[in-house]
Amino acid sequence: MESSLKHQIKVGLFTAIGVIMFCISVILLGGDKFFLKKTYILKVRLPQVQGLGRGSVVSLTGVPIGNITDIVFIPKSHDVEVNLSLEQRVQGQITEGSKASIKTQGALGDKYIYIDPGPIDGTPIKEFAFIDTDKTPDFLDIIASKGAELGEVVEVIKEVRLMFANINKDGNSHKLMSNLVQTTNSLNLFLGEARETFKLMRNEAIVPLSSVMKKVDKGQGTLGALVNDSSFYNRMMGFVGESPRNKFLKPIIRDSIQTSEEKKK
């Protein structure tokens, strides 16, 4: 009888421990991993929860620091009040100026509260106070709202893909690259020949012409003697006579003077 009682006590203790472990496992799997830590409550006012629920994660700059404990409607308003249970050790990090927003996590689109901390030397937000909300939409929300425009982008990508597929068809891309390489080589050859031609022209025309001009400037040769000898110019002027312009100007001036004197009389 006594052994049977001990056996029942052992079974009872084992069952109680199993139930406790099961409850702890359920709580951990449910997302409430901070029930054994000191926590405090902050609140967020949101126009919509976008899939948030009790147990959803709250993170500070990406580090999990708590969970959502309750979501209630605000009287005479369409907004909702979200209660956040946060680790007390991070209370000094969440200062006035911090902002909370709804973010999307993972490929499954799980929603969570993201807190962007305020100034590090700011005043910590008191318990049960409201955190300011960041109204900037989430990246995935932007994608969802711009579905039509993104559809056009997808169509453009498909068209580009089709274009490249046609270019690559039957080895056309290889032929195109071969033609480009040949054209580039031909252009390089042409530029090289043009460079050599200009060198020859400079050596055969410009350099000799410069040499001739130097000789003329020094008075060498017939042309140099004519250009640099002023006596030849004086002899030519003596042979030709005075300038024809003077022969015409002198009578005109003389007649003008006589006409002016006659008018005065």
Side-chain angles (χ1 to χ4, degrees), residues 15-255:
T15 304
I17 293 172
V19 171
I20 293 172
M21 294 300 297
F22 176 76
C23 292
I24 293 174
S25 300
V26 169
I27 293 173
L28 291 176
L29 292 175
D32 190 3
K33 301 177 182 179
F34 305 96
F35 71 101
L36 294 177
K37 299 180 180 179
K38 292 182 179 181
T39 60
Y40 74 109
I41 302 297
L42 290 181
K43 300 180 179 181
V44 180
R45 182 169 180 162
L46 298 171
Q48 55 179 342
V49 294
Q50 301 181 18
L52 291 173
R54 293 180 181 178
S56 295
V57 176
V58 180
S59 71
L60 178 67
T61 62
V63 180
I65 59 170
N67 298 97
I68 294 176
T69 58
D70 199 8
I71 300 175
V72 296
F73 285 100
I74 297 176
K76 299 181 181 180
S77 174
H78 293 295
D79 293 346
V80 293
E81 178 184 306
V82 181
N83 295 330
L84 313 177
S85 177
L86 309 177
E87 292 185 57
Q88 201 168 28
R89 65 182 180 86
V90 299
Q91 188 171 6
Q93 303 285 336
I94 305 176
T95 58
E96 293 180 358
S98 300
K99 291 186 177 182
S101 60
I102 300 176
K103 300 290 185 181
T104 304
Q105 182 181 26
L108 299 178
D110 295 334
K111 298 292 185 177
Y112 69 100
I113 294 291
Y114 177 86
I115 298 177
D116 188 13
I120 192 65
D121 56 349
T123 303
I125 300 177
K126 296 180 180 180
E127 189 172 11
F128 300 110
F130 281 89
I131 306 178
D132 294 334
T133 56
D134 186 0
K135 297 181 180 180
T136 304
D138 189 15
F139 177 71
L140 294 179
D141 294 333
I142 294 175
I143 292 177
S145 63
K146 300 294 183 180
E149 289 84 350
L150 290 175
E152 294 179 359
V153 173
V154 171
E155 290 297 327
V156 171
I157 294 174
K158 288 181 179 179
E159 293 294 333
V160 173
R161 182 175 177 276
L162 181 61
M163 180 184 69
F164 278 105
N166 291 330
I167 292 175
N168 292 327
K169 187 177 181 181
D170 298 329
N172 290 332
S173 59
H174 177 71
K175 295 177 182 178
L176 178 63
M177 293 303 298
S178 298
N179 292 334
L180 288 175
V181 171
Q182 291 178 2
T183 303
T184 303
N185 293 334
S186 299
L187 182 61
N188 291 333
L189 181 61
F190 171 77
L191 292 176
E193 293 177 351
R195 191 180 297 109
E196 293 297 328
T197 302
F198 281 120
K199 286 182 180 178
L200 292 174
M201 291 177 61
R202 183 180 62 184
N203 295 332
E204 295 181 2
I206 297 176
V207 174
L209 180 61
S210 176
S211 177
V212 170
M213 295 303 296
K214 288 181 180 179
K215 291 181 179 179
V216 170
D217 186 58
K218 292 179 180 179
Q220 299 177 1
T222 303
L223 183 59
L226 292 176
V227 170
N228 292 278
D229 188 4
S230 59
S231 61
F232 175 74
Y233 170 78
N234 295 329
R235 288 197 298 270
M236 289 295 294
M237 292 302 297
F239 176 76
V240 174
E242 61 178 342
S243 174
R245 178 180 59 186
N246 295 334
K247 293 181 180 180
F248 290 105
L249 287 177
K250 288 180 180 179
I252 293 173
I253 294 172
R254 189 180 299 111
D255 293 339

